[in-house]
Structure formats: C-alpha cells, structure tokens
Amino acid sequence: RSLLAVGWLESATGRSGAALGHLEESACLWQELGEARFAARALDWAGYATQALGRHREGAGFHRRAAALWRSAGALAEVATALVYAGYCASFDSDFAVAIPELEEAVLLAQEVGAEGTAATALNNLGLAQRGNGELRAALASFAVARPFAEAAGNRALGAELHANRGNVLSDLGELEAAIDEYQLAVQGYRAAGNKRGEGQALSYI
C-alpha cells in the first residue's frame, strides 16, 4: 500500500510525473495479488496524474482499465466515476464517438446506484461532448436532466455551470434571449455558491 500512498501524495502535491511511475507499479503489484479494488484505485489515480500532464488519451486508457477492474469487483459506483473521467479525456481529444457512449453508460450506472453527484457530473460532461459533436438539442436536454441530480447532491456550483452551459448552447442556436436567461440564472447560482470566478465568467456572457 505504500506505493499507492506515495503515488497519491505525489499526485496531490503536483509531482504528477513521479506519481505516475509509482501508481503504475502499484497497480501491477495489486493485480498480481488479486486485489482488484486497490489496483483499480491506483489506475484511476494514474489517470488523474496523466491528465495533469496533458496526456488525455493515455489518461482515458488508465480510467478504462480501472473501470474494468471496478466492474469485476462489483463496484458499480466506482465504474461510473471511472467512465466519467474516461469520457472526459476522450472529449478533450475530440473523440466524441467514444466519449458519448462512455458517458451515457456512466449516467445509467450512477442512476442505478443512487450516486446523484456522479450522475450530475456525467450528464454535464455528456452535454459538453454532445455540444462538441454538434448535437445541440441533445446537449440542452442533458444539461436540463442533470440539474435535479446536482440539486440532490447539494452541488450549487455545478448547478450554476449547467445553466451557463445551456446558455452557451442556446447562443450557438441563435436563441439569444433564452441564453441570457440561463446566464442570469448561472450568475445567481455561482453567487449563492460563493464562486466569484464562475460568477464573473457568467456575467461576461450577458
């Protein structure tokens, strides 16, 4: 477990390159010992470290390997989280054909296990991927469906972000009055969450 702890600490303190080596070694050792959960955790953390290094395609691979191990251990909430990050990484590389199905599965799994926060994040990321893929109406729907999950999870900042994201899509569609309404709701939400940066960004759109 020491390699896992060292890798986590290095990643948390910004030493992502050093963390990656320790986390990969930890994952291999845990797999040899038949400890799927510890191996999956190491792989997920390796994915986070790789993302921090800007290597999103590689990060997606780590998260997919983690998802497979979490699935073998019957840990569906963790599968959903790993798929959220795999889909995010794929979206970052504009690989929407891969990202969208992964995020859709993450949504279903999160709903199945009652993980409202994960469902909200998965739906938000799904909407972003759909927007990137030109599926604007589908993106609007995903952001709308995400809002009750964000509220149930008590995540005001994400709730505000969902309004801002809807505003962006409505702006893409040329529905400017509706977009402004969403941006105003985003400003209110960010303000309630104490998120000055988000509030300022939302105000800049109006």
Side-chain angles (χ1 to χ4, degrees), residues 8-16:
W8 176 85
L9 187 60
E10 287 171 333
S11 183
T13 54
R15 291 175 289 167
S16 299

Side-chain angles (χ1 to χ4, degrees), residues 20-44:
L20 188 56
H22 287 130
L23 291 166
E24 286 187 278
E25 187 178 355
S26 175
C28 289
L29 289 171
W30 284 119
Q31 282 189 271
E32 288 175 9
L33 292 170
E35 294 284 355
R37 288 174 177 267
F38 284 115
R41 186 167 290 113
L43 288 168
D44 267 331

